[in-house]
Amino acid sequence: MLNVAMISKWHVHAEGYASHLQSLGNVNITAVWDEVTDRGRAWAAQLGADFEADLDALLKREDVDAVVIDAPTSMHAEVMIAAANAGKHIFTEKSMALTVAECDQITEAVQRAGVKFCISFPARTRPHHLFAKQLLDDGLLGAVTLLRIRNGHDGALNNWLPEYWYDEKQAGGGAMMDLGCHPMYLASWLLGQPKRITSMFGYFTGRAVEDHAQCSIEFEGNAIALLETSLVTYLTPPAFELYGTEGTLIISGDAVKLASKHLDSRLQGWIAPRQLPKEQPLPLTAWVDGILNDRPMPFGLEDGTKLTELLETAYIAHRERRTVEFKQPGGN
C-alpha cells in the first residue's frame, strides 16, 4: 500500500487525480496540504484524510510515502525540492516549473534523494500518438518536414475555469502554459532538439494572460512544428498532422489516415490503420506502479525539463517579439 499526500487543490485536475488514486486499491490518501487553508481543510474532510496547515509537518509524516503536486506552477520548485529533501516520491502536474534553472534545482534534489519522479504527460500514452512515434521510428514517413498540433476548449470564453487560472504570478502564463503543454511535449518527443521559436499570443477575453496562442518551432533536421492552443474556441476538435518526405499521418478525433511510399503497392494512397498500439497506463497509474514495484518512470526529469525549456523560450519570444534561438547541446 502506498501512502500519498495531496499537495494543493489549485490545479483543476487535482480532484480527478485523488479520485483515480482512490480507485486503484493500492493507495491510501493520508493527508492534504493547501496554500489556501479553507480549501485544503474542506478537501481533506471530503477525502477522509488529515489536513496539515504546515507543509514541513506534512512532509515529516511517516504515513506519507509520496506526494501528488497540484500547487500553483509558480510554487512547483519550492514544493518539489522540499518533498525530495524529505525523501518523498513526486508526481506533478505539468509544467514541471517555470524556468529551466528551477528544473535543474528540482533534478538535483530528486537525484540526490533517490526518490522517484513522474510528470503528467497523458498524450504520450494514447494509441494515436504512439502510432505516430512508431511510424517515425520505423522510417515510414521519411524525414519530417512539418508537424501541426491543435488543442483547445472554451474555458475562458464561457468562464468555467477558475479566475485564478489567469493570474500570471500563480500560473506563469495562460493558454500555452496550460493546454499548450500537450502539443509542446509531443513535439519534443517526436522531433527532438529545438533550434528556434516564434510566438503569437492573443487576449480575446481581455485577461492578464493569453487565452489563445500559437508557436512555430524549428527542430533538428529542419522540421517545423506549428503548435496551437486556445481557451476561447467552441467544441474544438483536436488535430494532429505529421508530414514527411515519404509519408503523411493525419489524426482528427478518432479518425486516422496514413499515406506512405513504403506501404505495399496495393495500398498506395490513403489508408485507415486497422490496429493501433495499445494504450499505455495513465502517468499517475504508472507512477504508483513504479514506486511499489521499483520500475522506471515513463515521464521523468529530463522530459519535464525539455517541456519547460520550450515554454520558457516561447514566452520570451512573445514578450520580446522576436525569434529566439535555443542553446544547443555542447554549445557555449
Side-chain angles (χ1 to χ4, degrees):
M1 183 68 70
L2 183 68
N3 292 323
V4 172
M6 305 302 295
I7 305 296
S8 180
K9 200 184 178 186
W10 179 86
H11 200 282
V12 295
H13 291 161
E15 193 161 3
Y17 287 148
S19 297
H20 183 71
L21 288 171
Q22 290 177 321
S23 75
L24 293 177
N26 56 1
V27 174
N28 184 28
I29 298 177
T30 56
V32 169
W33 174 86
D34 198 300
E35 71 280 6
V36 178
T37 299
D38 290 344
R39 181 176 65 194
R41 198 179 299 279
W43 196 29
Q46 176 186 333
L47 295 174
D50 295 337
F51 176 71
E52 288 281 1
D54 182 83
L55 180 60
D56 288 337
L58 179 142
L59 294 174
K60 290 176 182 176
R61 290 176 60 129
E62 294 185 359
D63 64 347
V64 173
D65 306 313
V67 296
V68 172
I69 295 175
D70 286 295
T73 311
S74 59
M75 297 181 65
H76 276 195
E78 171 191 352
V79 172
M80 286 188 221
I81 291 170
N85 289 342
K88 310 302 183 184
H89 304 292
I90 297 168
F91 180 88
T92 182
E93 182 54 89
K94 44 55 174 174
S95 63
M96 181 172 165
L98 294 180
T99 67
V100 170
E102 288 181 334
C103 290
D104 290 343
Q105 294 168 7
I106 294 166
T107 297
E108 181 182 2
V110 167
Q111 292 179 340
R112 184 175 61 246
V115 297
K116 291 189 179 291
F117 172 95
C118 184
I119 187 168
S120 185
F121 283 6
R124 281 184 52 179
T125 70
R126 294 171 185 156
H128 305 71
H129 300 139
L130 293 169
F131 184 58
K133 185 66 164 65
Q134 179 181 306
L135 291 175
L136 291 182
D137 290 345
D138 291 345
L140 293 183
L141 302 183
V144 174
T145 56
L146 179 66
L147 170 66
R148 178 176 178 235
I149 307 177
R150 180 180 65 238
N151 190 28
H153 59 56
D154 63 354
L157 190 65
N158 288 318
N159 299 314
W160 53 261
L161 288 169
E163 272 305 309
Y164 60 67
W165 214 243
Y166 314 105
D167 182 345
E168 187 171 12
K169 289 184 178 180
Q170 295 186 59
M176 189 55 72
M177 186 65 69
D178 175 30
L179 278 185
C181 281
H182 301 293
M184 284 284 193
Y185 66 68
L186 285 173
S188 176
W189 178 48
L190 295 170
L191 301 183
Q193 178 64 34
K195 295 168 64 177
R196 56 181 177 146
I197 186 170
T198 62
S199 301
M200 181 169 288
F201 293 176
Y203 299 80
F204 186 81
T205 59
R207 288 177 163 95
V209 295
E210 81 284 358
D211 51 27
H212 58 130
Q214 186 270 341
C215 290
S216 301
I217 310 172
E218 182 185 18
F219 285 84
E220 60 186 359
N222 299 320
I224 293 175
L226 306 178
L227 308 180
E228 308 163 8
T229 191
S230 176
L231 308 179
V232 292
T233 47
Y234 177 66
L235 293 180
T236 314
F240 181 102
E241 303 171 9
L242 186 56
Y243 300 93
T245 55
E246 298 171 358
T248 296
L249 174 68
I250 305 292
I251 303 171
S252 180
D254 292 328
V256 180
K257 295 197 306 180
L258 168 66
S260 171
K261 291 182 179 180
H262 297 280
L263 297 175
D264 187 282
S265 59
R266 293 172 299 153
L267 300 175
Q268 289 300 312
W270 293 103
I271 67 166
R274 297 180 61 184
Q275 186 172 358
L276 297 175
K278 182 180 178 181
E279 185 168 9
Q280 297 301 300
L282 288 170
L284 190 56
T285 303
W287 175 70
V288 170
D289 180 63
I291 295 170
L292 292 177
N293 298 298
D294 194 25
R295 291 175 178 156
M297 293 292 117
F299 317 116
L301 295 161
E302 184 178 359
D303 298 305
T305 302
K306 287 180 178 179
L307 170 59
T308 291
E309 179 187 28
L310 288 173
L311 291 169
E312 181 181 13
T313 313
Y315 279 88
I316 293 171
H318 163 65
R319 288 193 303 268
E320 299 182 3
R321 298 178 180 271
R322 66 181 178 93
T323 298
V324 179
E325 305 279 342
F326 289 88
K327 182 178 179 181
Q328 297 303 302
N332 295 323

